Amino acid sequence: ALVTTNRVRVTYFDPQEFRRNLNAALEALRSTTWVLQKACSGDSELEAWYAEQQDWMRDDEIMRWLVSSRNRVVKEGDLEKDSTARITIFRGWVSEPFAETEIPPETAPDDYASSLATLVPCFAQIEEGLLKVDRRWVDTTAPNYEIGSSLEHCCRQLLKLHSSLSSLIELPSDDDLEEAKKPLLSDRRDYTSCWVKLESGQPCWSAMKPAEMSDELMDEAEERYSSAIEEMPQIDLHTPLQEHCGKIF
């Protein structure tokens, strides 16, 4: 379930793959609850424990959405009504938005640039231009929730179930589970947005990484920039580069 949920995030901007991975994730998450229930069957203590878990799951709106989708396959039409996609054009990484428009949510990445040609005829003349695409997939049966965050919520709740069960019985160690948890728990990048180069139509990313500096370079930087450094905003490595540049420049 954790692996398929991560695949949903990775393929968020490929409508066909996204829908395929979404259905796989829903099936895996539903199977997890079924396996847990079956494992508790026949043991009065475990059955009582699982009955308590079912009570709070019924009170959880997103978990109810998961359960109600037990025998359902999410189709393209289920995502079209409430999902959105918006393109914003920038002249460069540190510029203000040049133009923005809504596009059909099922628009594939290869069609982003062409979908703007009739809306903003001069966009191709922008040197080093960039498109920012913000997409929000929403299921018609849960219109108030973005799908990726809903799946993540379900995964976290099931991890709580696993942890609670492990306090009652000894569960075998699972290296695969620990490895599968890493993307969910540590990757905080915004998977609902992507950047595309106008000139090539290819996706691009900004990244901020800590740099190792010698003591000599650190002393030189402190001497030259000490007063300016005190006035610079604190940098969060998970915040997009453009936002940092906008604060500084």
Side-chain angles (χ1 to χ4, degrees):
L2 292 169
V3 172
T4 52
T5 294
N6 188 53
R7 287 176 183 161
V8 168
R9 292 156 56 111
V10 171
T11 59
Y12 203 82
F13 282 85
D14 185 330
Q16 186 173 355
E17 285 299 310
F18 170 81
R19 197 163 54 253
R20 182 180 294 115
N21 286 316
L22 169 60
N23 282 308
L26 288 172
E27 181 178 357
L29 287 164
R30 294 191 300 260
S31 296
T32 301
T33 58
W34 181 80
V35 169
L36 273 173
Q37 185 173 10
K38 186 176 180 181
C40 294
S41 179
D43 185 306
S44 58
E45 182 180 1
L46 293 181
E47 286 180 344
W49 169 82
Y50 192 73
E52 293 178 359
Q53 312 313 308
Q54 286 181 311
D55 286 341
W56 68 254
M57 282 192 285
R58 292 190 188 99
D59 292 335
D60 186 314
E61 188 173 0
I62 298 178
M63 293 298 288
R64 288 204 308 271
W65 164 74
L66 174 66
V67 173
S68 67
S69 300
R70 183 177 301 278
N71 298 313
R72 172 173 166 260
V73 175
V74 178
K75 299 179 182 179
E76 183 176 352
D78 297 326
L79 302 176
E80 288 180 348
K81 179 182 176 183
D82 297 298
S83 298
T84 59
R86 187 171 190 82
I87 286 183
T88 306
I89 308 175
F90 295 84
R91 298 181 186 276
W93 286 109
V94 298
S95 70
E96 293 295 319
F98 170 71
E100 59 182 3
T101 185
E102 299 281 347
I103 61 172
E106 69 276 7
T107 304
D110 291 343
D111 298 327
Y112 290 153
S114 60
S115 67
L116 287 176
T118 56
L119 298 171
V120 189
C122 61
F123 79 92
Q125 301 174 13
I126 305 173
E127 295 184 5
E128 300 182 0
L130 298 164
L131 297 179
K132 183 188 179 189
V133 186
D134 295 293
R135 187 189 295 278
R136 188 173 187 270
W137 285 117
V138 177
D139 183 8
T140 54
T141 63
N144 296 324
Y145 299 98
E146 184 272 321
I147 287 177
S149 60
S150 295
L151 294 178
E152 180 179 328
H153 174 83
C154 292
C155 283
R156 290 181 181 276
Q157 297 295 65
L158 291 179
L159 285 172
K160 288 181 182 179
L161 280 181
H162 183 272
S163 177
S164 176
L165 181 60
S166 66
S167 67
L168 299 177
I169 60 176
E170 184 177 353
L171 298 175
S173 59
D174 190 338
D175 293 338
D176 290 339
L177 173 62
E178 295 304 315
E179 190 66 26
K181 286 163 58 175
K182 290 180 181 179
L184 175 69
L185 301 179
S186 62
D187 187 354
R188 307 313 306 160
R189 289 174 295 180
D190 182 8
Y191 60 89
T192 64
S193 298
C194 77
W195 292 82
V196 178
K197 292 183 178 179
L198 274 174
E199 183 178 6
S200 63
Q202 296 299 309
C204 56
W205 298 268
S206 63
M208 300 186 70
K209 299 180 179 179
E212 295 184 6
M213 298 180 65
S214 66
D215 292 340
E216 182 180 352
L217 285 175
M218 288 294 291
D219 292 340
E220 182 180 341
E222 183 178 3
E223 181 180 352
R224 180 176 298 183
Y225 303 112
S226 58
S227 60
I229 290 175
E230 294 177 358
E231 299 175 0
M232 291 180 67
Q234 185 176 357
I235 290 178
D236 177 2
L237 296 180
H238 300 302
T239 301
L241 177 62
Q242 185 189 15
E243 292 186 20
H244 286 306
C245 293
K247 294 177 182 178
I248 297 172
F249 302 106

